[in-house]
Amino acid sequence: MFSTRGLAGAPLALAFLALSGCSSSWGSWGCTDTTAERGAAGVRVQVEDTDGRPLGVTAEVVGWRLEPHPQVPSEGDRVHFHFRFDRADGITEPAVDACAVDEERVALGCQTVHWYEAFGRDGDLTGDGWLAVEHPEQVAAVLLIPNDQSSLDRRTCEQDLKDGGGRHPPEPATVGDEL
């Protein structure tokens, strides 16, 4: 026979176990991961945080051309592009994906460019990069994706249940993504 007196304490004991972290579903209550939507790519973009809010920094492709990379000219043409970060102050430290695209805006090659790769003064920082693409003759433009990628390596719930989680930037753009 079961004692009603013994059952009366059961809800309290279960609540204690759940609050102490002994419950198997505790992690889903305290830690969640979400991924931001990829913003619209453009030649000039306002860099935005994971919630889609502007950081006050503009990133822009100021020019590009096809030419052999000086260190490996035998590999043929690559996309040599120049970019600028306006109003980057070293506090926000933004990074955006730069992609060579074809006429349909399909990515042919991408890489992340960081504000600290650019040089200048008064918050106007200019730099350059090289993109290796399989068919350089198909490149129609170089576009930037506005999502700040500088926090891409933030801890996830799977990596660190206690300190991980939150909103993360979208995955970096790859060859074949339509921008």
Side-chain angles (χ1 to χ4, degrees):
M1 291 261 150
F2 291 104
S3 162
T4 57
R5 188 172 167 198
L7 290 175
L12 182 61
L14 289 174
F16 176 75
L17 287 174
L19 291 175
S20 68
C22 296
S23 168
S24 64
S25 64
W26 170 252
S28 64
W29 291 344
C31 188
T32 57
D33 284 312
T34 58
T35 303
E37 291 292 320
R38 184 178 289 165
V43 173
R44 182 180 170 93
V45 297
Q46 292 291 320
V47 182
E48 57 190 46
D49 67 13
T50 55
D51 291 321
R53 293 183 305 242
L55 294 177
V57 176
T58 302
E60 179 179 13
V61 175
V62 293
W64 67 274
R65 64 183 173 272
L66 296 176
E67 62 185 356
H69 191 288
Q71 294 177 339
V72 284
S74 62
E75 292 181 6
D77 281 344
R78 293 191 178 180
V79 180
H80 185 199
F81 67 99
H82 294 267
F83 60 91
R84 177 174 54 224
F85 283 98
D86 291 328
R87 295 182 301 280
D89 56 14
I91 296 171
T92 53
E93 302 181 355
V96 294
D97 286 340
C99 296
V101 298
D102 65 14
E103 300 237 348
E104 277 91 42
R105 296 173 61 108
V106 174
L108 302 172
C110 299
Q111 74 178 45
T112 301
V113 292
H114 299 263
W115 74 275
Y116 56 76
E117 296 175 72
F119 301 93
R121 52 194 157 122
D122 300 326
D124 184 13
L125 307 172
T126 305
D128 71 322
W130 295 83
L131 292 165
V133 298
E134 191 171 337
H135 298 285
E137 70 280 358
Q138 294 178 353
V139 176
V142 176
L143 302 178
L144 300 175
I145 299 172
N147 304 90
D148 181 15
Q149 293 290 332
S150 64
S151 61
L152 185 62
D153 60 354
R154 274 194 2 214
R155 313 253 337 135
T156 64
C157 292
E158 186 176 297
Q159 295 166 325
D160 187 345
L161 189 62
K162 180 178 172 273
D163 297 322
R167 194 181 254 325
H168 302 278
E171 290 295 318
T174 59
V175 173
D177 287 355
E178 189 172 338
L179 307 178

